[in-house]
Amino acid sequence: MERPRTVSGMRPTGPLHLGHYFGVLKNYVALQHTEDAFFFVADWHALTSDYADPSRVRENINEMVKDWVAAGLDPAQCVIFRQSSVKEHAELSLLLSMITPVSWLERNPTYKEQQQQITNKDLGNAGFLCYPVLMAADILMYRPHGVPVGEDQLPHMELTREIARRFNYLYGETTFPEPEAMLTPAAKCPGLDGRKMSKSYNNGIFLRDTMADVEPKVKTMFTDKNRLRKSDPGNPDVCNLFPYHVLLASKEEQDEIREGCTHATMGCVECKQRFLKHIAEFLGPLQERRRALTDAAVQDILADGNERARAFAQTTMDMVRQRMGL
């Protein structure tokens, strides 16, 4: 039987951190075993905001694919490809832009929010405004039943569904299924300073960090700000470190840490030492797989994935052109 199909992508804008792994990559790894999965490096999307300085894009593409494969993505189980190498994405984006009202793009809450919050870049370009149309093309090209996303991407998913619905209405046939959002279970990965973990804040633990990089980060990591001494009872529910025990430690050890923290029998230093042990166990095998990947191996993975993605994309575009009278 034909398996259900899914697609998702990530922008190559810098190193991936624990938040990316637990929030996105872990789900990708699981989906490759149950779906016909297409995962792409969204390099065109990176240019919508970083067009002024694209000097790191190529390097970031290689490094991102290494992180993906090291985290468990298997090129034999899924299709890993580069967006810009499948030119059909650009053609479908152009054709979908013909039927997408500008008002749909301007009302997008993500567009409005980023225009207000990102003040160090000029986001007045057409590419940034049309970002959701390109995203819709990326998704609809593979006619998936669902797309793994976080809650922040729900407005984009709804717009993708509206564009699919409008195309089907205008051209009389169900060319595109309306894909459902496959919400990724929220994984709380706060940054080392208590803010959201982010590449731009440089407050994360990255998948390529050595333990020599990680240890000083963890030693200065915020915990419970109200716990000044070991003898002060703590509250794991407001601690910046405890969410990582939830992700990496057994349930029994989590209960032990909670008990020790709330009754002041375990200090933050010991708590951090336990986290360092678990992060070393997590990163060790991942980085061993990463070291085995050469740039040449990455290019082979992408070349094969590009060919497989392009073959599927061509069948979609044959239908689209026919139905649009081209």
Side-chain angles (χ1 to χ4, degrees):
M1 291 181 61
E2 185 175 324
R3 294 199 299 181
R5 196 161 43 249
T6 191
V7 61
S8 191
M10 293 174 63
R11 299 198 311 158
T13 55
L16 301 187
H17 51 61
L18 291 182
H20 291 117
Y21 175 81
F22 287 106
V24 181
L25 266 179
K26 188 177 179 182
N27 198 26
Y28 282 10
V29 172
L31 285 171
Q32 71 181 336
H33 300 295
T34 59
E35 313 247 343
D36 280 339
F38 291 79
F39 299 122
F40 64 93
V41 180
D43 50 345
W44 278 336
H45 281 299
L47 295 179
T48 60
S49 58
D50 293 346
Y51 59 86
D53 182 15
S55 58
R56 300 290 300 277
V57 171
R58 285 186 181 172
E59 177 188 349
N60 288 341
I61 289 168
N62 272 12
E63 296 303 309
M64 176 181 281
V65 173
K66 288 179 182 179
D67 283 339
W68 284 5
V69 175
L73 279 188
D74 182 352
Q77 296 290 325
C78 62
V79 180
I80 299 173
F81 69 101
R82 179 173 173 169
Q83 179 192 36
S84 66
S85 294
V86 183
K87 307 305 182 188
E88 288 81 359
H89 283 236
E91 182 183 2
L92 183 56
S93 178
L94 175 65
L95 295 177
L96 294 180
S97 72
M98 304 301 181
I99 68 168
T100 304
V102 174
S103 59
W104 289 8
L105 304 177
E106 292 176 334
R107 78 178 187 219
N108 179 15
T110 306
Y111 174 73
K112 295 176 181 177
E113 177 187 322
Q114 294 197 349
Q115 284 276 24
Q116 293 168 354
Q117 292 188 0
I118 301 178
T119 57
N120 62 335
K121 296 177 183 176
D122 180 4
L123 299 181
N125 53 316
F128 186 74
L129 174 65
C130 296
Y131 182 111
V133 181
L134 178 56
M135 181 173 173
D138 296 331
I139 293 168
L140 296 177
M141 183 71 76
Y142 301 94
R143 308 192 299 279
H145 78 100
V147 181
V149 292
E151 287 193 12
D152 60 325
Q153 292 296 314
L154 287 179
H156 285 298
M157 281 303 303
E158 186 52 40
L159 182 55
T160 296
R161 289 167 55 82
E162 287 182 351
I163 291 173
R165 198 176 305 133
R166 183 168 171 81
F167 187 98
N168 294 338
Y169 171 77
L170 286 171
Y171 303 111
E173 295 187 55
T174 306
T175 305
F176 298 117
E178 295 179 30
E180 298 291 339
M182 302 165 68
L183 280 177
T184 303
K188 187 180 178 186
C189 286
L192 303 174
D193 55 4
R195 295 183 293 174
K196 175 184 175 182
M197 186 175 286
S198 169
K199 288 177 281 193
S200 22
Y201 295 155
N202 195 29
N203 65 347
I205 294 174
F206 298 98
L207 300 185
R208 67 192 72 169
D209 278 350
T210 66
M211 288 309 296
D213 299 318
V214 172
E215 287 182 16
K217 291 182 178 183
V218 172
K219 286 179 180 176
T220 59
M221 186 177 184
F222 287 12
T223 50
D224 179 351
K225 64 180 181 181
N226 296 316
R227 194 177 187 200
L228 303 179
R229 294 170 295 276
K230 180 180 176 179
S231 56
D232 296 330
N235 180 2
D237 295 325
V238 300
C239 175
N240 205 43
L241 175 57
F242 191 74
Y244 290 97
H245 292 307
V246 173
L247 294 170
L248 293 168
S250 67
K251 182 64 171 63
E252 293 73 20
E253 187 172 5
Q254 292 173 42
D255 292 341
E256 183 184 342
I257 293 169
R258 180 177 286 277
E259 175 79 10
C261 179
T262 54
H263 290 85
T265 57
M266 180 186 295
C268 293
V269 172
E270 181 182 346
C271 196
K272 289 181 177 181
Q273 287 299 323
R274 292 194 181 212
F275 173 53
L276 284 169
K277 174 179 176 290
H278 290 305
I279 198 66
E281 292 170 350
F282 170 75
L283 288 178
L286 187 152
Q287 292 183 352
E288 185 176 345
R289 291 191 294 269
R290 198 180 198 286
R291 283 191 293 271
L293 283 168
T294 63
D295 288 344
V298 168
Q299 292 309 307
D300 288 343
I301 289 169
L302 288 174
D304 178 65
N306 294 342
E307 186 177 342
R308 293 162 68 192
R310 194 177 301 116
F312 194 103
Q314 286 169 352
T315 64
T316 297
M317 292 312 302
D318 286 344
M319 285 193 295
V320 168
R321 295 185 200 107
Q322 181 182 20
R323 287 166 192 179
M324 294 187 79
L326 298 173

